């Protein structure tokens, strides 16, 4: 049966019913929506996308609840996309993040949507970017994306959010743990939540001494202690979020692909991470068309890497590709090597290195090395 296509004018006029239905169809990957989603382009890039990430139990949902109240006091229209993990056993998900935001459910200027990760890695869900686009086109001033509880290397929110807030809990470890590469390095704002606990002062000190409060592109990473359950520090956090928007602008997710275009061939150097299901489905499609295909896999990393070991990129003989093996700095080189592997049938083990001085220019959180194994499929 043909899917009903929501009325775009009703979405723009503020219909919550149309918005809810459209979000559900996007989450379910309704292909009939593709032309409509392309029509949203003129209205995209106006909302500030605020990414809230951090380890499980850091208090992200409680912090968002308090931040929602503060943003509404400032007259902001706010949408929240709260992503919860799916069970690897049952496949289901307890969409519990929004429970802590229930007090805003009756506010017509707030829209809270829960989303299951459905096995996607990196802290987000496959439909997250398109759902953010829908909120953006619907006219929200701020779109808050809460990731699943993440570890050190799950940093996909850095490609989606304009402003990245990393929430830390007291007792994250010693000063060595605070200095480790990974999620702390993607922060525009660091929050030490539950700052009323005895270990909080030590956590603040370790973070300040770790070097993560650096300056990049005119913005110096800020650290703010909060007690979200009591609303303490939340106004200061909202001030920083607004200041970051004035400093760095909005629409990062839309500007990044164009900025990363490869000068030689015009192809994007930084692809968004794809699920394994999507990647291997694309490989099967290319093979069915008779195209030569190569698969690149991250087999080892040293230092900080935007993609963990086991990440994939697939490329066909026409240089079309899907997936990602880095934050954008080596994709073009890997695709070029894939063409040689397709032609020769000989696999290659590639190694790339980048200095700390160059790292920020190419999208790595810090210097390091990465090994990528490229093999022809079939």
């Amino acid at each position: 049966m043909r899917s009903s296509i929501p009325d775009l004018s009703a979405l723009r006029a503020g219909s919550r019913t149309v918005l809810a239905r459209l979000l559900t169809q996007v989450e379910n990957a309704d292909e009939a929506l593709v032309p409509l989603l392309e029509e949203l382009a003129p209205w995209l890039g106006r909302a500030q996308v605020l990414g809230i990430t951090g380890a499980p139990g850091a208090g992200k949902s409680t912090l968002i609840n308090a931040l929602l109240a503060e943003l509404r006091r400032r007259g902001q229209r706010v949408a929240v996309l709260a992503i919860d993990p799916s069970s690897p056993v049952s496949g289901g998900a307890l969409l519990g993040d929004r429970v802590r935001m229930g007090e805003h459910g009756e506010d017509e200027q707030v829209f809270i949507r829960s989303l299951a990760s459905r096995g996607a890695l990196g802290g987000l869900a496959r439909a997250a970017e398109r759902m953010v686009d829908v909120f953006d086109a619907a006219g929200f001033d701020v779109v808050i994306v809460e990731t699943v509880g993440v570890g050190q290397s799950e940093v996909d929110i850095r490609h989606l959010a304009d402003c990245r807030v990393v929430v830390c809990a007291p007792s994250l470890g010693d000063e060595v743990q605070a200095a480790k590469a990974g999620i702390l390095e993607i922060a525009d704002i660091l929050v030490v939540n539950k700052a009323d606990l005895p270990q909080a002062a030590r956590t603040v000190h370790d973070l300040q001494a770790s070097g993560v409060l650096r300056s990049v592109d005119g913005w110096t990473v800020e650290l703010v202690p909060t007690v979200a359950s009591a609303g303490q520090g939340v106004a200061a956090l909202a001030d920083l979020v607004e200041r970051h928007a004035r400093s760095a602008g909005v629409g990062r997710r839309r500007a990044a692909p164009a900025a990363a275009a490869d000068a030689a061939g015009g192809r994007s150097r930084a692809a968004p991470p794809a699920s394994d299901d999507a990647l291997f489905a694309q490989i099967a499609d290319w093979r069915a068309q008779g195209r030569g295909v190569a698969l690149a896999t991250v087999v080892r990393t040293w230092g900080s890497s935007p993609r963990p070991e086991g990440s994939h990129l697939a490329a066909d003989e026409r240089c079309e590709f899907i997936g990602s093996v880095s934050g954008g700095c080596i994709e073009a080189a890997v695709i070029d090597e894939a063409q040689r592997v397709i032609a020769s049938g000989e696999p290659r083990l590639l190694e790339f290195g980048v200095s700390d001085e160059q790292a920020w220019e190419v999208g790595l959180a810090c210097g390091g090395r990465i090994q990528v194994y490229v093999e022809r499929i079939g």
Side-chain angles (χ1 to χ4, degrees), residues 161-329:
D162 297 309
C163 180
R164 290 77 60 97
V165 177
V166 177
V167 184
C168 307
S171 298
L172 60 79
D174 58 15
E175 62 274 10
V176 174
Q177 184 68 29
K180 282 186 177 181
I183 192 170
L184 295 178
E185 294 175 307
I186 73 168
D188 297 305
I189 301 170
L190 280 169
V191 171
V192 176
N193 194 31
K194 307 179 183 180
D196 53 339
L197 296 181
Q199 305 92 334
R202 175 60 185 272
T203 300
V204 170
H205 175 270
D206 289 341
L207 288 170
Q208 290 172 331
S210 69
V212 295
L213 303 183
R214 67 199 178 281
S215 179
V216 180
D217 295 331
W219 173 261
T220 299
V221 178
E222 299 277 358
L223 188 153
V224 56
T226 63
V227 183
S229 58
Q232 296 177 19
V234 176
L237 173 58
D239 288 341
L240 288 173
V241 169
E242 290 182 356
R243 183 153 65 85
H244 186 274
R246 293 193 298 270
S247 173
V250 299
R252 180 197 298 265
R253 73 191 189 284
R254 295 182 55 75
D262 180 70
R267 58 181 177 247
S268 171
R269 284 170 38 185
S275 69
D276 285 350
D277 288 345
L279 185 139
F280 288 110
Q282 183 62 70
I283 290 175
D285 184 57
W286 285 332
R287 292 289 311 285
Q289 297 177 44
R291 303 189 198 182
V293 181
L295 177 67
T297 305
V298 177
V299 294
R300 193 173 183 187
T301 64
W302 298 263
S304 179
S305 171
R307 297 285 179 264
E309 294 175 5
S311 298
H312 296 302
L313 178 150
D316 75 350
E317 62 189 24
R318 301 180 185 178
C319 292
E320 294 183 16
F321 69 102
I322 182 174
S324 178
V325 290
S326 80
C329 56

Side-chain angles (χ1 to χ4, degrees), residues 122-123 151-159 182-183 186 305-307:
Q152 285 178 296
S153 63
E154 295 163 300
V155 294
D156 285 354
I157 190 65
R158 71 189 293 261
H159 302 291
I183 192 170
I186 73 168
S305 171
R307 297 285 179 264

Side-chain angles (χ1 to χ4, degrees), residues 92-157:
L94 174 63
L95 303 180
D97 285 343
R98 65 182 301 167
V99 171
R100 297 182 176 89
M101 308 172 207
E103 66 186 77
H104 301 287
E106 299 300 319
D107 189 338
E108 288 295 315
Q109 302 305 310
V110 173
F111 196 103
I112 302 170
R113 177 66 180 234
S114 295
L115 177 64
S117 65
R118 296 190 179 186
L121 303 176
L124 296 176
R126 299 171 194 174
E129 183 167 359
R130 281 186 167 180
M131 294 176 80
V132 167
D133 284 347
V134 172
F135 282 129
D136 192 357
F140 287 92
D141 300 304
V142 180
V143 180
I144 299 175
V145 180
E146 179 187 1
T147 73
V148 302
V150 299
Q152 285 178 296
S153 63
E154 295 163 300
V155 294
D156 285 354
I157 190 65

Side-chain angles (χ1 to χ4, degrees), residues 85-93 118-119:
S86 296
S87 168
V89 178
S90 68
R118 296 190 179 186

Side-chain angles (χ1 to χ4, degrees), residues 283 286-287 291-296 313-317 334-335 337-339 341-342 374-377:
I283 290 175
W286 285 332
R287 292 289 311 285
R291 303 189 198 182
V293 181
L295 177 67
L313 178 150
D316 75 350
E317 62 189 24
V334 170
I335 294 165
E337 291 293 340
Q339 303 310 301
V341 169
I342 292 171
V374 186
E375 59 188 320
R376 188 171 71 182
I377 301 298

Side-chain angles (χ1 to χ4, degrees), residues 72-95:
R72 288 295 299 123
R73 277 193 290 270
R74 301 182 184 204
Q76 300 289 297
R77 186 168 178 243
V78 187
V80 178
L81 186 62
I83 303 173
D84 285 287
S86 296
S87 168
V89 178
S90 68
L94 174 63
L95 303 180

Side-chain angles (χ1 to χ4, degrees), residues 7-86:
D7 183 353
L8 193 56
S9 61
L11 175 72
R12 294 286 300 156
S15 170
R16 294 173 69 87
T17 301
V18 170
L19 173 59
R21 190 171 79 231
L22 181 53
L23 290 170
T24 297
Q25 289 178 276
V26 169
E27 181 180 4
N28 292 332
D30 188 339
E31 291 302 318
L33 291 179
V34 172
L36 180 138
L37 294 174
E38 292 174 351
E39 292 180 27
L40 297 180
W43 297 290
L44 300 185
R46 302 180 184 183
Q48 182 186 24
V49 181
L50 178 61
I52 308 286
T53 189
K60 297 186 295 297
S61 299
T62 303
L63 181 64
I64 292 172
N65 181 62
L67 185 59
L68 267 172
E70 180 62 29
L71 294 176
R72 288 295 299 123
R73 277 193 290 270
R74 301 182 184 204
Q76 300 289 297
R77 186 168 178 243
V78 187
V80 178
L81 186 62
I83 303 173
D84 285 287
S86 296

